[in-house]
Amino acid sequence: MVSFVSIFRVVAFLEGLSYILLLFIATPIKYLLDEPQYVKLLGMPHGLLFMGYIVLAILLKKDFEWNTSQFGSVLLAAVIPFGTFYIDRKYLKPVE
């Protein structure tokens, strides 16, 4: 059976990956080559993954017994490039 933690780890990885692709590939292509279709292509999935990440973090806060500082770090990681990978290693991987 798949746990919320496993789902959260997958969503965190995909959210982080989509953010990196959006920031470092799609956005430069948009502004350097004047081709905005890549931002449009990656923007919606990234937005959905971002919202899923936040919702799952809220649902798992009690299970992980995160204090306010730790929970803030988990939420902040969603807006920092490579942040979700750090959260996976620091907070999620030792659990499984």
Side-chain angles (χ1 to χ4, degrees):
M1 183 161 165
V2 179
S3 68
F4 270 130
V5 176
S6 299
I7 294 169
F8 185 56
R9 289 187 72 197
V10 169
V11 170
F13 175 78
L14 293 174
E15 194 277 336
L17 181 64
S18 70
Y19 192 38
I20 290 167
L21 291 173
L22 193 60
L23 282 178
F24 298 115
I25 295 177
T27 302
I29 288 173
K30 176 182 178 179
Y31 290 106
L32 295 175
L33 302 177
D34 197 31
E35 294 187 28
Q37 70 265 20
Y38 296 105
V39 171
K40 291 178 183 176
L41 181 70
L42 288 171
M44 179 66 77
H46 170 70
L48 293 172
L49 288 164
F50 176 82
M51 290 187 296
Y53 178 87
I54 299 299
V55 168
L56 286 168
I58 291 168
L59 292 174
L60 289 171
K61 180 183 183 223
K62 188 175 182 180
D63 293 343
F64 281 106
E65 300 176 353
W66 288 326
N67 61 35
T68 304
S69 175
Q70 291 170 323
F71 184 61
S73 297
V74 171
L75 295 180
L76 184 63
V79 296
I80 297 173
F82 303 99
T84 58
F85 304 125
Y86 170 76
I87 294 301
D88 181 62
R89 174 168 244 158
K90 181 164 182 169
Y91 294 112
L92 304 176
K93 201 163 197 166
V95 171
E96 293 192 90

